[in-house]
């Protein structure tokens, strides 16, 4: 079994391995990519993606096409999959590096040592949670990624975005604790509470 095949077995969602390599090809240095045996992506990929203001605009970029055509069929089988992956590609073009958080929402809730407050305010987090359309979700997520200086857990963020689109188009899980809004809320407030306790000691 190759390293890629092995990684596919342990992936959290269909297309995760392809997505990570695609993102790394845009973001890592040439030296880092050489170690991973990944070819650098053309710089136009990220430049076009960063300029896209909506998921629909992302659909027309070269970077998205490169990702979409590399995905396994299992990742593209749902009717709205293309829009979900487009939103994800656009958002990830603003993620410059992975942070040390447990997951995406925990990274937003981490307490900043300088301010003693979560990196993303509760109000901003709740606005993301209340997004009603793919365009609003995309816009609010962009703002939050910029607010945390382009640092996030890529795989966790990706799974959350794909799950959000699944739920938005009517495939919400039956168990409440599996819904993306609940998962993100638990992770955000747990990280914030942990940081505040640490600062008070």
């Amino acid at each position: 079994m190759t390293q890629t095949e092995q990684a596919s077995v342990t992936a959290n969602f269909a297309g995760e391995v392809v997505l990570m390599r695609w993102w790394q090809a845009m973001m890592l240095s040439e030296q880092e990519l050489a170690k991973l045996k990944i070819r650098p992506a053309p710089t136009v990929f990220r430049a076009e993606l960063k300029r896209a203001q909506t998921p629909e605009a992302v659909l027309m970029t070269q970077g998205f096409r490169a990702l979409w055509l590399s995905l396994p069929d299992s990742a593209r089988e749902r009717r709205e999959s293309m829009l979900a992956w487009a939103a994800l590609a656009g958002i990830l073009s603003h993620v410059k590096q992975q942070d040390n958080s447990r997951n995406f929402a925990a990274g937003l809730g981490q307490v900043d040592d300088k301010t003693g407050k979560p990196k993303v305010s509760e109000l901003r987090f709740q606005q993301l949670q209340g997004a009603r359309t793919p365009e609003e979700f995309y816009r609010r997520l962009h703002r939050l990624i910029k607010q945390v200086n382009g640092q996030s857990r890529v795989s966790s963020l990706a799974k959350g975005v794909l799950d959000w689109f699944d739920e938005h188009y009517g495939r919400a899980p039956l168990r409440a604790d599996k819904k993306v809004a609940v998962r993100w809320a638990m992770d955000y407030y747990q990280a914030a509470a942990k940081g505040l306790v640490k600062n008070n000691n």
Side-chain angles (χ1 to χ4, degrees):
M1 185 178 286
T2 67
Q3 285 185 340
T4 300
E5 289 168 339
Q6 179 65 45
S8 296
V9 171
T10 59
N12 293 314
F13 56 89
E16 181 180 2
V17 175
V18 171
L19 177 74
M20 288 303 298
R21 291 178 68 85
W22 173 86
W23 177 79
Q24 289 169 331
M26 287 196 303
M27 300 299 175
L28 299 186
S29 68
E30 287 189 19
Q31 293 79 9
E32 291 171 314
L33 291 174
K35 288 179 185 175
L36 296 171
K37 298 180 180 174
I38 298 175
R39 293 175 58 184
T43 55
V44 69
F45 280 16
R46 187 172 180 224
E48 286 183 344
L49 287 165
K50 287 183 72 175
R51 286 196 297 270
Q53 298 295 310
T54 64
E56 287 78 11
V58 172
L59 292 172
M60 305 308 293
T61 65
Q62 297 177 65
F64 171 70
R65 279 197 298 277
L67 171 63
W68 180 253
L69 296 175
S70 301
L71 289 171
D73 290 342
S74 57
R76 301 187 293 180
E77 61 191 6
R78 292 180 179 161
R79 187 178 55 184
E80 65 282 357
S81 292
M82 183 175 274
L83 192 62
W85 281 93
L88 180 54
I91 290 163
L92 288 183
S93 71
H94 294 274
V95 177
K96 295 180 280 191
Q97 66 182 84
Q98 301 227 55
D99 66 9
N100 61 359
S101 62
R102 193 161 42 85
N103 55 48
F104 162 67
L108 303 181
Q110 277 186 336
V111 173
D112 188 315
D113 291 335
K114 293 177 183 173
T115 65
K117 297 178 181 177
K119 290 181 178 176
V120 167
S121 71
E122 187 175 354
L123 176 61
R124 284 288 176 91
F125 179 69
Q126 289 176 346
Q127 288 173 337
L128 173 68
Q129 295 280 66
R132 300 289 182 208
T133 66
E135 291 75 21
E136 182 185 4
F137 179 69
Y138 184 78
R139 188 176 66 252
R140 293 199 181 283
L141 204 44
H142 264 192
R143 287 181 188 160
L144 296 192
I145 294 298
K146 288 180 182 175
Q147 196 171 340
V148 295
N149 299 317
Q151 297 184 12
S152 187
R153 296 300 298 177
V154 172
S155 179
S156 172
L157 170 60
K159 179 165 176 31
V161 170
L162 296 174
D163 287 348
W164 187 93
F165 273 82
D166 274 352
E167 293 180 20
H168 181 74
Y169 287 100
R171 281 188 297 278
L174 295 176
R175 285 181 49 178
D177 63 333
K178 299 295 182 187
K179 294 182 179 179
V180 66
V182 175
R183 293 194 332 252
W184 279 359
M186 292 294 180
D187 292 334
Y188 173 87
Y189 288 110
Q190 190 175 36
K194 187 177 177 182
L196 292 173
V197 168
K198 182 182 173 184
N199 285 351
N200 289 333
N201 289 336

